Amino acid sequence: MSSNGRCALCDGTMPPATSEQRRSYCSNACRQRAYRRRATVSTTTPPTRQNLRVLSNLPAARDTFIGRQQELSKLDQLLRRHRLVTLVGSAGAGKTRLALEAAGRLRRGRTDRVLLVALGEITASRDVVPALADALGVAAESDEPLRATVVETLKNMKAVVVLDNCEHLLDTCAELTDMLLNRCPGVRVLATSREALWITGEVSFHVEGLPVPSTDRDLVTTAAPRSEAVKLFVDRARERKPDFRLTLDNIAAVALLCARLEGMPLAIELAARWVQVLPVADICDRMDEPLELLTLGCRKSPSRQSSLREAIDWSYQLLQPDEQFALRRLSVFDGGFDLTAATEVCSSERSAEPVLDVLSRLQAKSLLTAVPGTTRFRQLESVRLHAREKLLAAGELDMAYEALARWFTDLSDVLITAPLSVPADVQLKLDNHVDSLLGTVEWAADRDDERLLLLTSALADCAARRGRLGQARVMLRDALRRPSTRDEYRCVALNHAARFAAEQGDHDEAVELSSEASRLVPDSATALAMSCRSTLAAVQQSSGEWEASNANSTECLRVAELLGEPLARAACLVDLARTALSLGKHERAEKNVMKALPISRASGMPARIASALTTRGAVALVQGDLDEATHAFQEALRMDGINPLTAPDALEGLAVVAVTRGQAERALRIEATGRALRRSVGVVPNPFWAEKVAVAMRTARLMLSVARAEAASTPLTAAETEAFIQDEVWLDRTEAAFGSLDDHERRVIALLATGLTNQQIANRLNVSLRTVASRLQRLRDKLGLQSREDIAAWGAERAIG
């Protein structure tokens, strides 16, 4: 054996050579120190055309990165200002791909090395530092541990360390990151996790699903192609079916599919792989079971990404037992929930922790989302369905729904104890949990639960407030076919069904239901009996039985005052005012409605206030006070917006005012808007009001030519109605269009008004017949007119020539 001379680093004596290979260093320690010295020197070398590229171990992209440009820009800004940025999001949100794209766009100058440390397949904490060392390309030296070697190597580097999938090794990743940030001033960390690391200096960047397009039929064809979620679906679909394209036949289905998947990239990519087997519409139809459908992962993908179920189950298995219990129980909520509802469902001896604390931890782990500006939470649908599977497997479904049914029953009990005085906060809670209430009603129906009729009545109320009276009636009709052991529950359901039937003009059915409801409450001095009598009065109003209606409303008022219920009293006063108006007793009507108005305003309930205001407007209209009537109708519209249950009366009232003031076209258009709203929900006016509006509209038509009357009898658009309600902006379409006519259009109108045919006009203008037809079509669209005859009449009236 012989020596190879002196060590190139420490100048120490080299140990005896054991092979023919020439050695430069006396030990592994010197070799590693020499490597670090060279790395340090290289970071201070001025960049040249040859070394502008950042050295990294990032994998090369195999498919197109879609969208997220704003997120990438924001991440670049954050990495400039902060040394630790954590991408936090739920399973399948695309955190890893976003981090890799952001890291891959870093440029030499602030960064010399990008080190990807993939932790997804690592299960032991002791393997985290070796994974970083492997990415860095260093090994343990004989005289120092691996951790120290890594720190010494990174100490003088400008490097970005990408720690990917930290959620199952949070403590270890937090400790390692903290050490790197403290001891390596040139190091920045970009982490991905379903939960933040929670260390000093961390900036959390929440990654959500890609923006999804509107699924509105009128908007989808223009919105869908611009949607990032749709672009991702199309790109991945073409990997399986190269000729796949967005078409008029599939664009709505693609948009709906992306919306149902909430823009989650993993779910979209898995769904797109089915296009070689199924049409998009069929894929969308199968989204009721997305956990079953979305299982076509790549053979080389990590196990947690091979299906949507496994991706979510990865998060579920990392939860503490009380967190798993709460997540399972929360799966009964469809459409979100608040803290009160969650407490009712999750409180159990199985979960000792306060519910708010558990919710906060689930939110931190990206399994719940707080709804901005509210105290409500929601789950991604895929997470909820996975939790529902766990709930079933644990045998807890009935217990969870029983807790939810108790809570909804407690809320709905007011329909028995104070049906005409339901507080606004109770209505709001029911409306906010309407999807969960529907699930509870279905659960109760499957078990013939005696609470079914009460819960269905509460659900029908929610549907009616949204203008879905037909749906509400079907719900109640189905529930009433079932046997009931609680008379008060059946009475509530019958009473609701009778009122809704009366509002839609089904008089005979309303009378039958109302009579049966009244027979179930023999004590006339109760709140429920008062409500039944009020419904009977409404039924009688709908058929013009004014004296009988007045008698029943008067008795209702007496009971309301006896029970001390101001909201019920206001409702009775409004009914009495309408009846008095129909009987020609205008002063009594004014007196009653003026008593009801302050009580209604104090309720804070827009529909009640609007109802009182429209009644006040009707009284003022009959008394000839057009200014007061206008003010009341406009305030009612501003108060409750385009509510199809209250807006028609106010719009029709303004139409009658317009006729009285000689504004015939305005009157016809406003009345048509109110009529369209009525038609959308099937609500009919009482006979007195219907006749008054009909007489006014006949007068308006007599004030105009047939063509102008027909053109004016088209509803305002939603945007025009909103502008009219909020800002009293009135757009006369034809007059507004008058100023925008060009010379060619004016010439066509002038010739048309003289009675020329299209061919004669074409000859006069020296253009083709097709050109004339095209100009006429544009004129019809611009002026809102129906035919060439309408255009001719319109031009003649304005002497266009």
Side-chain angles (χ1 to χ4, degrees):
M1 294 199 154
S2 63
S3 172
N4 287 331
R6 315 295 292 181
C7 175
L9 182 69
C10 68
D11 202 35
T13 302
M14 297 285 284
T18 59
S19 69
E20 294 301 321
Q21 183 179 6
R22 180 176 176 81
R23 299 180 59 178
S24 299
Y25 305 103
C26 63
S27 66
N28 282 336
C30 282
R31 180 175 60 79
Q32 293 287 351
R33 291 189 184 100
Y35 167 78
R36 290 198 296 271
R37 184 172 296 176
R38 290 196 303 273
T40 301
V41 170
S42 69
T43 61
T44 60
T45 302
T48 66
R49 191 176 296 274
Q50 286 73 34
N51 68 1
L52 286 175
R53 187 170 64 86
V54 175
L55 298 177
S56 76
N57 66 333
L58 300 178
R62 300 190 184 188
D63 50 26
T64 309
F65 183 81
I66 304 293
R68 302 278 198 196
Q69 297 308 308
Q70 290 184 348
E71 288 94 331
L72 286 169
S73 177
K74 181 65 174 177
L75 277 176
D76 184 63
Q77 295 173 20
L78 290 176
L79 286 169
R80 289 172 185 268
R81 298 196 300 265
H82 304 279
R83 295 181 60 210
L84 171 58
V85 178
T86 303
L87 304 186
V88 179
S90 60
K95 302 180 293 297
T96 295
R97 187 63 192 275
L98 179 59
L100 294 179
E101 188 70 18
R105 296 189 182 197
L106 295 173
R107 292 291 178 263
R108 191 73 177 259
R110 291 182 296 113
T111 304
D112 298 310
R113 294 288 302 276
V114 175
L115 306 171
L116 171 63
V117 185
L119 303 174
E121 299 300 306
I122 292 177
T123 57
S125 297
R126 64 178 179 273
D127 294 331
V128 173
V129 172
L132 174 56
D134 182 63
L136 189 55
V138 300
E141 298 180 0
S142 59
D143 58 349
E144 62 183 10
L146 183 59
R147 181 182 294 259
T149 301
V150 168
V151 170
E152 287 299 315
T153 304
L154 289 172
K155 183 177 291 185
N156 296 307
M157 280 190 183
K158 290 188 290 184
V160 171
V161 177
V162 181
L163 293 178
D164 186 36
N165 291 306
C166 300
E167 55 269 358
H168 59 305
L169 300 163
L170 274 177
D171 292 341
T172 303
C173 290
E175 180 185 352
L176 174 62
T177 301
D178 200 47
M179 179 188 69
L180 292 176
L181 297 180
N182 285 336
R183 299 179 59 183
C184 306
V187 169
R188 289 168 289 157
V189 176
L190 178 61
T192 74
S193 177
R194 299 180 192 180
E195 182 177 4
L197 301 181
W198 298 106
I199 61 176
T200 303
E202 179 182 34
V203 175
S204 294
F205 185 88
H206 196 73
V207 180
E208 298 183 344
L210 294 169
V212 298
S214 168
T215 55
D216 184 275
R217 182 178 59 185
D218 298 327
L219 302 175
V220 68
T221 54
T222 55
R226 298 195 298 267
S227 164
E228 293 182 0
V230 170
K231 289 178 181 178
L232 178 64
F233 180 88
V234 172
D235 184 83
R236 300 305 189 256
R238 286 176 181 168
E239 293 178 359
R240 299 288 170 169
K241 189 177 181 181
D243 62 345
F244 181 83
R245 297 288 186 275
L246 278 183
T247 67
L248 290 177
D249 292 332
N250 68 20
I251 193 168
V254 172
L256 180 59
L257 177 62
C258 291
R260 295 190 66 178
L261 295 175
E262 300 174 277
M264 301 304 286
L266 175 61
I268 290 172
E269 292 185 353
L270 293 173
R273 299 185 180 201
W274 282 95
V275 296
Q276 61 186 346
V277 179
L278 298 170
V280 180
D282 288 356
I283 300 173
C284 197
D285 289 341
R286 287 167 170 78
M287 278 299 107
D288 289 335
E289 299 293 339
L291 299 180
E292 296 296 336
L293 185 66
L294 305 182
T295 57
L296 288 179
C298 175
R299 187 176 292 113
K300 294 292 186 179
S301 298
S303 59
R304 66 184 183 283
Q305 293 180 359
S306 62
S307 74
L308 190 59
R309 175 183 283 107
E310 290 173 353
I312 299 169
D313 198 58
W314 168 265
S315 293
Y316 182 81
Q317 298 302 331
L318 297 176
L319 299 178
Q320 298 297 320
D322 60 334
E323 295 168 343
Q324 291 180 342
F325 174 80
L327 192 68
R328 292 196 302 270
R329 286 296 184 94
L330 294 172
S331 69
V332 297
F333 290 111
D334 188 0
F337 54 89
D338 61 20
L339 178 60
T340 304
T343 301
E344 291 293 330
V345 170
C346 295
S347 294
S348 166
E349 66 281 357
R350 295 278 302 279
S351 180
E353 296 290 333
V355 172
L356 180 58
D357 179 60
V358 178
L359 295 182
S360 299
R361 283 186 273 138
L362 289 173
Q363 181 187 353
K365 295 176 180 181
S366 304
L367 290 166
L368 286 183
T369 300
V371 179
T374 71
T375 56
R376 289 172 56 77
F377 299 85
R378 62 178 293 270
Q379 292 173 303
L380 290 174
E381 184 64 7
S382 53
V383 173
R384 190 182 73 85
L385 292 175
H386 178 273
R388 175 67 69 90
E389 288 184 352
K390 297 293 185 182
L391 186 74
L392 282 166
E396 298 171 347
L397 182 71
D398 284 340
M399 288 183 286
Y401 267 115
E402 175 59 35
L404 191 56
R406 283 198 305 269
W407 185 64
F408 278 131
T409 301
D410 290 343
L411 281 176
S412 305
D413 190 61
V414 71
L415 299 179
I416 299 172
T417 59
L420 293 182
S421 304
V422 179
D425 63 325
V426 172
Q427 288 188 3
L428 183 61
K429 275 191 179 296
L430 290 170
D431 287 339
N432 284 342
H433 295 86
V434 65
D435 294 327
S436 302
L437 177 55
L438 174 59
T440 307
V441 165
E442 291 173 346
W443 173 84
D446 288 342
R447 287 152 184 79
D448 289 326
D449 193 291
E450 66 175 7
R451 296 165 293 187
L452 174 63
L453 283 172
L454 181 63
L455 295 175
T456 303
S457 299
L459 182 62
D461 256 356
C462 294
R465 281 193 289 274
R466 296 183 177 190
R468 300 171 183 168
L469 283 178
Q471 181 183 7
R473 292 177 66 189
V474 170
M475 292 177 189
L476 289 166
R477 193 176 292 132
D478 290 344
L480 284 166
R481 291 193 182 105
R482 296 171 180 265
S484 174
T485 59
R486 299 283 296 269
D487 283 351
E488 64 268 34
Y489 289 174
R490 185 167 184 82
C491 177
V492 168
L494 288 165
N495 196 39
H496 279 70
R499 184 173 289 272
F500 297 152
E503 289 180 350
Q504 291 198 317
D506 289 341
H507 180 68
D508 292 341
E509 182 178 340
V511 170
E512 181 182 348
L513 292 167
S514 180
S515 300
E516 185 180 349
S518 298
R519 287 195 294 271
L520 294 175
V521 279
D523 186 352
S524 61
T526 65
L528 186 54
M530 174 179 62
S531 178
C532 291
R533 191 176 287 272
S534 173
T535 297
L536 180 57
V539 171
Q540 291 162 340
Q541 274 192 26
S542 70
S543 59
E545 301 171 59
W546 306 117
E547 293 291 354
S549 177
N550 183 70
N552 280 308
S553 292
T554 300
E555 177 60 17
C556 284
L557 179 63
R558 184 189 71 79
V559 177
E561 290 173 342
L562 181 67
L563 296 176
E565 290 191 20
L567 284 180
R569 182 169 175 264
C572 296
L573 286 167
V574 168
D575 284 342
L576 283 169
R578 289 173 178 165
T579 304
L581 193 63
S582 303
L583 290 169
K585 301 175 181 178
H586 302 162
E587 290 184 4
R588 183 189 298 177
E590 181 180 14
K591 180 180 177 181
N592 285 331
V593 76
M594 295 307 290
K595 288 180 181 178
L597 262 174
I599 305 173
S600 300
R601 290 186 192 277
S603 73
M605 301 165 74
R608 280 184 178 266
I609 300 171
S611 178
L613 283 167
T614 53
T615 305
R616 171 59 186 140
V619 172
L621 185 62
V622 171
Q623 292 177 326
D625 190 345
L626 298 185
D627 290 340
E628 177 63 25
T630 299
H631 175 77
F633 291 136
Q634 288 176 339
E635 187 182 355
L637 288 169
R638 286 194 295 271
M639 180 60 60
D640 204 24
I642 313 176
N643 182 340
L645 299 180
T646 60
D649 282 342
L651 287 168
E652 289 163 351
L654 288 173
V656 176
V657 170
V659 172
T660 308
R661 288 176 169 166
Q663 300 167 316
E665 286 181 292
R666 178 186 179 111
L668 289 170
R669 184 149 288 131
I670 297 175
E671 188 274 337
T673 306
R675 183 161 25 93
L677 283 174
R678 283 195 187 281
R679 201 162 46 240
S680 70
V681 293
V683 174
V684 298
N686 70 53
F688 169 81
W689 186 246
E691 179 61 21
K692 186 166 189 62
V693 173
V695 169
M697 293 309 104
R698 284 197 293 271
T699 302
R701 287 187 176 85
L702 292 173
M703 295 165 65
L704 301 170
S705 67
V706 174
R708 288 183 66 184
E710 287 301 316
S713 298
T714 56
L716 296 169
T717 66
E720 288 171 341
T721 306
E722 191 66 32
F724 176 60
I725 290 173
Q726 297 300 329
D727 303 311
E728 299 179 25
V729 173
W730 176 258
L731 175 64
D732 187 321
R733 296 173 187 170
T734 56
E735 296 305 327
F738 182 82
S740 66
L741 295 176
D742 60 31
D743 291 340
H744 294 294
E745 290 169 333
R746 289 174 182 271
R747 183 66 174 147
V748 169
I749 294 173
L751 293 173
L752 199 64
T754 64
L756 296 182
T757 65
N758 286 6
Q759 184 62 64
Q760 291 170 328
I761 293 172
N763 295 337
R764 289 281 188 94
L765 298 178
N766 197 27
V767 297
S768 69
L769 187 62
R770 179 177 296 179
T771 299
V772 173
S774 176
R775 288 179 181 175
L776 288 175
Q777 182 58 52
R778 286 200 301 271
L779 283 169
R780 281 193 290 269
D781 294 340
K782 181 180 287 190
L783 300 174
L785 299 174
Q786 302 296 314
S787 66
R788 67 191 305 280
E789 289 75 18
D790 293 343
I791 298 173
W794 185 85
E797 289 173 1
R798 288 159 179 77
I800 295 178

